[in-house]
Amino acid sequence: MTANKEKRRVISRDAARRRRQVESEVFVDLSRLLPFQQSVQDHLDKPSVIRLTLSYIRMHTLLKGKTGIKVEASHAVKCGQVMESGQEWRGCDRGRDDEEKKTDNVEASEETNMFLRILEGFLMVLSTEGDMIYLSDNVSKYMGLTQTELMGHNIFEYTHPCDHEEIRNNLRLTAEEVWCGAKRDFIMRIKGALTHRGRSSNLKSATWKVLHCQGRAKVCVAPSSVSCLLLTCQPLPLSHTLLSTHTFTSQHSMDMRFTYCDQRMTLLLGYSTEELLGRSIYDLCHILDTNCLTKNHLNLCFKSQSVSGQYRMLVRGGGYVWVESHSAVIPSVRPSKSRPGAHQPLCILCVTYVLSGVEEPSLQLSLDQAVHRYLR
Amino acid sequence: MSPWPLRAVTTHCLVGSVSLPSLMTPSSAACMSLSMEMPRKRKGSLDNQDTKSSSIPDADMEDDQNRSDGEDQNVKIKCFREPHSQIEKRRRDKMNNLIDELSAMIPTCNPMSRKLDKLTVLRMAVQHLKSLKGSASSFSEANYKPSFLPNEELKHLVLKAADGFLFVVGCDRGKIVFVSESITKILNYSRAELIGQSLFDYIHPKDMGKVKEQLSASELYPRERLIDAKTGLQVQADLPVGAERLCSGARRSFFCRMKYNKISIKVEEKEFQASTSKKKESQRYCTVHCTGYMRSWPTSHLEVDGDGEPDKQDSSYYSCLVAVGRIHSHSTPQVNGEVRVKPIEFITRFAMDGKFTFVDQRATTILGYLPQELLGTSCYEYFHQDDLPHLADRHRKVLRSKDKIETDCYKFRTKFGSFVTLQSQWFSFVNPWTKEVEYIVSTNTVISYDPSQTSRSEVKSELSSNSKTSEDDCNKSLQVILGISTTPGAMIYAGSIGTQIANELLDFNRMNSSSSSGSISPFSLPQDKCPQTHNQISNNVPNGGATDMEIPGKSSSEDEPQGAAFSGGESLMVENSQLDLDSVVGPGLSSLSNDEAAMAVIMSLLETDTNLGEAVDFEEMHWSS
């Protein structure tokens, strides 16, 4: 009796072993079909193989299906090129020989690489559930984690919990938004496994990196309806170089009251530094832009960096200019090396780009402007 | 580069972060969890969306944490043994989930009514991938490394996401040497039209100086200005201006307005286009954000088809700006020419006492006054006497509430003496950091330009006669509003109503407020990893709203969140209520109470950020070719 049992046990063990072997072989087959170098393929574990296969299939579906986005189609017609929308994505392969296609391919790759390099960011394709279906391979430069490590995972595993709500809001797409390729622009914190010097470390010593994500929705309708967000993600820099004459810097306390501004502000907007000290930025801006400023302020408070949209700053005595501010929260005194853990007062540093000339210089919209005009 | 950073980072992980709230760094979360079971996040697992703790990827982390705890051997073994079966189970679950997802994505698997076994799904996946690859062009396996996406596709994706175009312009004349195809979609010019042209032909006249400055190397221009991230102040570059400005890799970033070609109806005929452009139409511009690098190439390597112009700089080098131009999402040219018609409205700002501090220019067409005529005066001077009580009541309410307060219809006196009927929404705008009321925002909608006949006659009689009776009536209603008594003959002006109401609030606050100063922020993060509490109200609210009498509607994740309003495009305040932390960023954040903890959060973000504490490193800017 026990001999039979033993025999059955051995048989089942062997069967199990064979099954596992067969399974492993299939996994190897699958990994070989993935578009990575062999060295990379060999090091993928089983879940990763499936994860990356899923990404590959999803991207393929997204790109090869008919797009049918209204904006694209109508624009194509207007530019005198009546093309089937799906064709746009295939780069018009017809009637070209291999050699031409090869050159085009190389050019395309160079152009894209250059583009991403200049932009100092990477591309992310996000499904509506938050899966990072695709990441461009330069993601490792910014996050310290490679394309193969990250693709297919869910973004909520890598971003700051307090930003999840906002990310979810951005992923929510109505049918209308999807069809019109609605735009997205938001800031989120993501885990970055880079050291101070820019070397890759690992997830255990990850730090939060502030990313500015901009992009739009994309949909493909056939064979199945898939919608996603295409985003470029750029880490926000903490230092700026070569500010032109049309840019000024200012420093604020955490409630956005001015504590300092440079002389360019005086040249561009007319206010002297003394006049501005203690004034709130909310007093100085057009009322229709309060939303924009508040969002910027909140981003600063929670994420420590922000890019405002375009808003209007009132000019002394009348009129306004369009500006855009890039800001960050920094310690307002030099961090002390002797007491590294001590709390330091914080302040906000803004670099503001002036985008337009003074519009409507004789129009006084705020009490402040009216007073200044009177005092002149 | 020295090797010390690696070591420093490790020690930071083990020692430095234990005292900070667990939200700081992901690693500290692991270190602090000790023998607690950390739920691992799996794709497709049911609790993925709800729990917001960050995931701990693999078993190694648990090993580390056990080792670093310095627990004795027995406990260590116990920790291993218990979770080990759990680990295995999780692995299996994860694999099963992945297989399920895979089968959903493969067309051949889908129609199967019963669930397929793992091996079959995998085999079908192999078949499917083979079929997909079959349709790709054969040359893609050539020389360079395989990329996940075909290059053309990637290029399209990037350009679509970025809404941008690549361009290269020469520094001396601004000649457009190269521009990518995507410019057609953005500015509606073809490549052929642009290449060889001067960039300055396409830039707004007022921005030409700015762009010249960015391209130039002349010594007359200001030196490079850098911002030192540590101090936040400008630092004069130690480098001499000149060659360094144009040195390869120097970064440029600026905004400029560029022309865009309006969509013409008939595309083929060039003559038609030419004639339309001769019309006296104001040129349309859109704001483009240009970022890039300076680059110089030896002219011997380039075919610079110039007319032998004398070079200012070294004749063997051709300097260019290689940049990306992006349209900001807020300034997309309106190609369809659609005009959004809004109901007739204008927006004003009041100080807490009701004095106008900002008047939107649309008010002039409605009220007849120029903004400066209204600024500094009290809104009560223009309200019809009958409306004073209810408006005063609303005024009181808005100063004490976070919500939008609607007024009833009321009459507002115009410059010409007549009245228009308005209806307004008021809310107190509160500084996000201090939570103090900065001002009241009023969105005013015109209900009717022509109030009924009877009221017009009332108006006439009011204005024409300064009779005692009307003044008495006015005074009486003021007394009612203000709750004061006056001796007969004393004049109370409407303007004082506002001041009185504001003072009421200040007195009330003085009596109730704690000793917090205005600059402290009632922020902090709760001790657990993510704010789960939705309805906590902070106790030490400084001046602005006293105690919250009305709990603002909290948005749960199922409701329509107002945060969605920020996803793209500008939205006027009419579409949003008071911008609250809850509505913008997430639930539970208004429960913040301790600003020190908030500062700790931000400090840790900054401490661990890569760039902090280092001035600009020029080496990083170089373009490695």
Side-chain angles (χ1 to χ4, degrees):
Chain A
M1 189 52 181
T2 32
N4 260 347
K5 227 181 177 178
E6 191 56 43
K7 205 175 170 192
R8 257 181 272 140
R9 218 176 279 156
V10 168
I11 291 174
S12 79
R13 250 206 312 262
D14 284 343
R17 200 178 301 136
R18 261 185 314 227
R19 269 201 308 272
R20 279 198 296 274
Q21 216 170 347
V22 167
E23 190 183 283
S24 298
E25 280 167 23
V26 177
F27 267 106
V28 169
D29 286 344
L30 201 51
S31 69
R32 289 274 172 271
L33 289 169
L34 292 173
F36 295 113
Q37 286 168 320
Q38 182 141 355
S39 51
V40 175
Q41 289 170 344
D42 292 340
H43 286 99
L44 294 173
D45 66 0
K46 289 179 184 170
S48 297
V49 171
I50 302 189
R51 185 170 41 88
L52 294 170
T53 307
L54 277 168
S55 274
Y56 187 79
I57 298 176
R58 288 171 101 165
M59 282 313 286
H60 195 273
T61 317
L62 204 66
L63 294 174
K64 298 302 186 189
K66 298 263 177 219
T67 58
I69 293 184
K70 265 196 276 183
V71 171
E72 271 188 39
S74 57
H75 201 105
V77 169
K78 280 169 180 166
C79 290
Q81 305 148 2
V82 183
M83 291 199 297
E84 257 179 56
S85 31
Q87 263 196 313
E88 283 192 37
W89 291 87
R90 265 170 255 148
C92 279
D93 270 355
R94 292 188 295 193
R96 269 119 135 269
D97 61 4
D98 267 0
E99 204 47 52
E100 260 189 28
K101 282 195 220 168
K102 199 172 180 175
T103 332
D104 280 350
N105 213 304
V106 172
E107 271 179 19
S109 151
E110 279 181 1
E111 192 178 307
T112 313
N113 286 337
M114 198 183 283
F115 199 98
L116 288 174
R117 210 175 199 170
I118 294 179
L119 214 54
E120 296 200 327
F122 59 93
L123 182 73
M124 185 190 290
V125 180
L126 269 184
S127 75
T128 44
E129 281 86 53
D131 295 324
M132 298 185 283
I133 311 176
Y134 176 75
L135 295 162
S136 57
D137 55 16
N138 64 342
V139 64
S140 49
K141 189 172 168 211
Y142 303 103
M143 275 179 72
L145 302 165
T146 63
Q147 191 189 33
T148 38
E149 281 175 310
L150 288 171
M151 259 196 325
H153 279 301
N154 194 284
I155 198 169
F156 292 110
E157 293 171 33
Y158 290 88
T159 48
H160 197 289
C162 293
D163 295 340
H164 286 182
E165 184 72 33
E166 195 178 348
I167 297 172
R168 246 177 243 124
N169 290 337
N170 278 294
L171 287 174
R172 217 170 305 226
L173 291 167
T174 64
E176 177 67 29
E177 285 177 312
V178 152
W179 284 91
C180 293
K183 297 220 178 183
R184 289 289 183 263
D185 188 329
F186 60 96
I187 292 180
M188 69 181 181
R189 284 163 286 180
I190 204 164
K191 288 182 197 173
L194 288 174
T195 63
H196 275 278
R197 301 282 172 187
R199 288 242 185 90
S200 277
S201 63
N202 54 34
L203 208 53
K204 283 178 237 173
S205 46
T207 58
W208 295 115
K209 205 158 184 117
V210 184
L211 285 184
H212 184 199
C213 303
Q214 295 171 275
R216 50 188 350 158
K218 174 168 164 45
V219 72
C220 127
V221 284
S224 57
S225 176
V226 170
S227 53
C228 65
L229 284 189
L230 302 178
L231 299 170
T232 56
C233 304
Q234 298 163 278
L236 288 178
L238 268 181
S239 50
H240 294 253
T241 57
L242 195 62
L243 302 177
S244 76
T245 44
H246 290 76
T247 318
F248 63 89
T249 58
S250 55
Q251 217 165 333
H252 306 256
S253 48
M254 289 304 290
D255 58 3
M256 286 303 273
R257 279 170 206 277
F258 282 88
T259 54
Y260 165 80
C261 67
D262 75 30
Q263 69 267 34
R264 300 269 168 233
M265 161 69 118
T266 316
L267 290 171
L268 294 163
L269 281 112
Y271 302 103
S272 68
T273 311
E274 300 77 50
E275 273 180 312
L276 285 179
L277 294 181
R279 300 285 309 273
S280 165
I281 202 168
Y282 294 104
D283 277 344
L284 254 61
C285 298
H286 199 288
I287 202 169
L288 295 172
D289 299 323
T290 314
N291 261 16
C292 168
L293 285 175
T294 309
K295 180 77 166 87
N296 192 47
H297 196 172
L298 286 168
N299 273 341
L300 282 171
C301 293
F302 288 109
K303 302 166 194 170
S304 84
Q305 288 185 269
S306 181
V307 174
S308 71
Q310 294 174 356
Y311 62 98
R312 282 155 285 197
M313 244 192 190
L314 301 174
V315 174
R316 190 186 199 276
Y320 54 87
V321 289
W322 285 95
V323 300
E324 178 170 306
S325 295
H326 294 224
S327 330
V329 175
I330 60 171
S332 54
V333 295
R334 206 187 196 91
S336 153
K337 293 223 165 84
S338 56
R339 298 170 60 222
H343 287 145
Q344 281 144 37
L346 301 169
C347 69
I348 292 173
L349 178 64
C350 292
V351 174
T352 306
Y353 296 85
V354 176
L355 309 174
S356 74
V358 177
E359 305 203 358
E360 315 230 31
S362 56
L363 184 64
Q364 283 148 33
L365 296 167
S366 79
L367 182 58
D368 198 52
Q369 289 179 310
V371 165
H372 284 138
R373 184 48 78 86
Y374 180 68
L375 288 177
R376 260 193 198 159
Chain B
M1 304 251 192
S2 74
W4 68 264
L6 290 168
R7 225 181 312 137
V9 162
T10 337
T11 42
H12 171 83
C13 166
L14 292 176
V15 175
S17 46
V18 178
S19 57
L20 292 171
S22 58
L23 211 41
M24 299 317 110
T25 52
S27 56
S28 63
C31 290
M32 280 169 59
S33 58
L34 297 181
S35 55
M36 272 178 4
E37 187 79 344
M38 292 299 293
R40 273 194 262 166
K41 291 291 142 258
R42 291 283 180 276
K43 213 167 35 164
S45 75
L46 288 169
D47 53 352
N48 207 0
Q49 305 297 352
D50 298 340
T51 48
K52 295 177 182 158
S53 53
S54 49
S55 76
I56 313 298
D58 48 49
D60 286 346
M61 284 273 260
E62 287 177 44
D63 287 354
D64 267 1
Q65 113 206 354
N66 286 330
R67 250 178 273 135
S68 71
D69 289 341
E71 297 183 32
D72 70 67
Q73 199 69 13
N74 285 340
V75 184
K76 230 200 277 186
I77 290 174
K78 188 179 174 215
C79 282
F80 259 120
R81 201 172 282 156
E82 265 191 83
H84 190 72
S85 57
Q86 299 267 15
I87 295 173
E88 269 309 306
K89 182 177 189 307
R90 275 199 300 264
R91 269 199 200 131
R92 277 198 307 275
D93 285 344
K94 176 180 173 181
M95 182 56 80
N96 288 336
N97 284 332
L98 286 172
I99 298 284
D100 286 343
E101 281 193 51
L102 195 56
S103 68
M105 291 294 330
I106 299 174
T108 43
C109 289
N110 272 331
M112 300 289 169
S113 49
R114 58 184 174 80
K115 191 174 167 179
L116 292 170
D117 70 290
K118 188 164 152 190
L119 207 52
T120 317
V121 174
L122 288 172
R123 285 204 171 109
M124 282 181 159
V126 169
Q127 287 311 313
H128 189 61
L129 280 201
K130 280 187 178 156
S131 71
L132 291 183
K133 293 198 81 147
S135 60
S137 336
S138 55
F139 67 85
S140 57
E141 282 141 78
N143 44 10
Y144 48 87
K145 64 175 173 120
S147 51
F148 199 78
L149 292 180
N151 290 314
E152 274 291 329
E153 313 284 20
L154 179 59
K155 178 174 134 180
H156 277 120
L157 281 184
V158 169
L159 294 175
K160 189 165 166 60
D163 239 349
F165 54 91
L166 200 57
F167 65 99
V168 181
V169 295
C171 291
D172 49 353
R173 295 278 188 85
K175 182 159 89 166
I176 300 176
V177 170
F178 171 83
V179 72
S180 68
E181 274 170 52
S182 48
I183 199 161
T184 321
K185 291 218 173 82
I186 297 172
L187 297 180
N188 203 31
Y189 291 109
S190 70
R191 282 174 97 176
E193 276 180 271
L194 295 174
I195 293 190
Q197 302 296 317
S198 168
L199 179 67
F200 294 109
D201 290 343
Y202 294 90
I203 295 206
H204 192 287
K206 291 206 176 139
D207 290 342
M208 289 205 203
K210 192 198 284 189
V211 178
K212 275 195 189 124
E213 181 191 59
Q214 295 285 311
L215 292 178
S216 81
S218 166
E219 241 114 35
L220 298 170
Y221 282 85
R223 295 164 132 216
E224 289 199 12
R225 300 178 322 137
L226 311 175
I227 302 292
D228 180 354
K230 243 190 300 190
T231 60
L233 298 175
Q234 256 177 257
V235 165
Q236 285 290 39
D238 289 340
L239 311 167
V241 182
E244 270 71 18
R245 276 183 76 104
L246 280 189
C247 76
S248 282
R251 190 150 173 79
R252 296 284 186 265
S253 171
F254 59 95
F255 286 84
C256 64
R257 283 164 288 181
M258 288 195 183
K259 282 185 197 169
Y260 67 93
N261 203 3
K262 283 184 284 198
I263 311 258
S264 31
I265 321 294
K266 293 201 187 101
V267 184
E268 305 89 31
E269 292 113 34
K270 258 193 157 181
E271 306 87 31
F272 189 81
Q273 277 182 15
S275 63
T276 50
S277 65
K278 276 180 193 147
K279 282 190 200 161
K280 256 295 194 176
E281 286 167 334
S282 59
Q283 186 62 53
R284 303 278 210 89
Y285 293 94
C286 56
T287 307
V288 179
H289 186 187
C290 304
T291 50
Y293 292 95
M294 303 304 286
R295 191 102 149 106
S296 50
W297 286 290
T299 43
S300 49
H301 294 188
L302 293 171
E303 293 160 23
V304 184
D305 37 37
D307 13 60
E309 72 252 352
D311 279 346
K312 293 186 199 124
Q313 48 266 11
D314 194 347
S315 57
S316 64
Y317 281 88
Y318 187 68
S319 306
C320 294
L321 171 69
V322 183
V324 161
R326 284 180 96 163
I327 300 282
H328 209 282
S329 53
H330 300 278
S331 74
T332 321
Q334 291 289 69
V335 290
N336 49 9
E338 181 191 288
V339 175
R340 276 189 299 172
V341 179
K342 282 178 243 171
I344 303 166
E345 67 178 31
F346 61 98
I347 301 189
T348 51
R349 242 183 353 221
F350 302 126
M352 302 218 327
D353 62 4
K355 292 213 172 73
F356 286 105
T357 56
F358 187 104
V359 177
D360 168 8
Q361 57 259 52
R362 293 173 292 182
T364 311
T365 48
I366 297 168
L367 303 175
Y369 298 106
L370 283 175
Q372 49 260 52
E373 294 178 275
L374 291 172
L375 293 169
T377 60
S378 168
C379 57
Y380 287 97
E381 294 173 34
Y382 307 88
F383 295 154
H384 191 277
Q385 152 195 327
D386 294 344
D387 299 313
L388 292 175
H390 107 262
L391 289 169
D393 169 68
R394 295 290 190 277
H395 184 181
R396 278 201 186 89
K397 265 213 179 101
V398 80
L399 289 175
R400 289 166 173 75
S401 159
K402 277 188 189 173
D403 291 338
K404 267 188 165 182
I405 306 286
E406 300 262 349
T407 66
D408 299 335
C409 295
Y410 62 95
K411 299 192 203 68
F412 194 104
R413 182 161 51 85
T414 69
K415 185 160 181 171
F416 321 110
S418 58
F419 280 82
V420 291
T421 311
L422 301 175
Q423 190 266 327
S424 304
Q425 276 174 335
W426 291 350
F427 75 92
S428 301
F429 174 72
V430 155
N431 187 303
W433 183 259
T434 62
K435 302 281 213 170
E436 285 177 8
V437 176
E438 296 244 350
Y439 43 73
I440 299 169
V441 178
S442 168
T443 309
N444 315 291
T445 315
V446 177
I447 304 294
S448 148
Y449 283 102
D450 183 19
S452 60
Q453 288 287 69
T454 47
S455 41
R456 229 199 285 174
S457 62
E458 275 173 25
V459 168
K460 278 193 184 150
S461 66
E462 259 184 57
L463 290 177
S464 58
S465 65
N466 272 328
S467 65
K468 238 6 179 94
T469 25
S470 65
E471 272 173 20
D472 280 345
D473 285 344
C474 197
N475 280 351
K476 279 209 195 84
S477 64
L478 291 179
Q479 284 170 36
V480 165
I481 294 167
L482 299 176
I484 56 177
S485 62
T486 58
T487 56
M491 297 289 275
I492 304 169
Y493 295 100
S496 64
I497 299 178
T499 325
Q500 193 69 15
I501 293 179
N503 286 336
E504 268 175 34
L505 183 71
L506 290 175
D507 290 339
F508 182 71
N509 288 337
R510 237 175 274 133
M511 291 192 306
N512 286 355
S513 73
S514 53
S515 56
S516 49
S517 73
S519 60
I520 292 181
S521 152
F523 272 0
S524 103
L525 290 160
Q527 289 312 300
D528 51 304
K529 210 171 278 185
C530 198
Q532 300 289 348
T533 52
H534 287 235
N535 285 316
Q536 238 174 308
I537 298 174
S538 91
N539 288 330
N540 48 326
V541 176
N543 291 325
T547 51
D548 290 4
M549 297 193 286
E550 294 142 34
I551 297 172
K554 301 279 197 272
S555 54
S556 68
S557 44
E558 285 82 45
D559 298 345
E560 187 64 37
Q562 285 140 341
F566 287 116
S567 48
E570 206 178 82
S571 53
L572 281 183
M573 290 168 306
V574 286
E575 290 143 21
N576 275 337
S577 77
Q578 170 74 27
L579 281 173
D580 205 2
L581 302 169
D582 287 350
S583 57
V584 173
V585 186
L589 291 162
S590 66
S591 64
L592 321 174
S593 55
N594 187 346
D595 69 302
E596 284 197 340
M599 289 215 228
V601 173
I602 295 181
M603 275 315 297
S604 71
L605 285 177
L606 298 172
E607 273 164 4
T608 52
D609 193 275
T610 46
N611 280 330
L612 188 72
E614 298 175 19
V616 175
D617 184 3
F618 274 104
E619 282 166 349
E620 288 167 23
M621 302 295 168
H622 273 208
W623 191 306
S624 54
S625 45

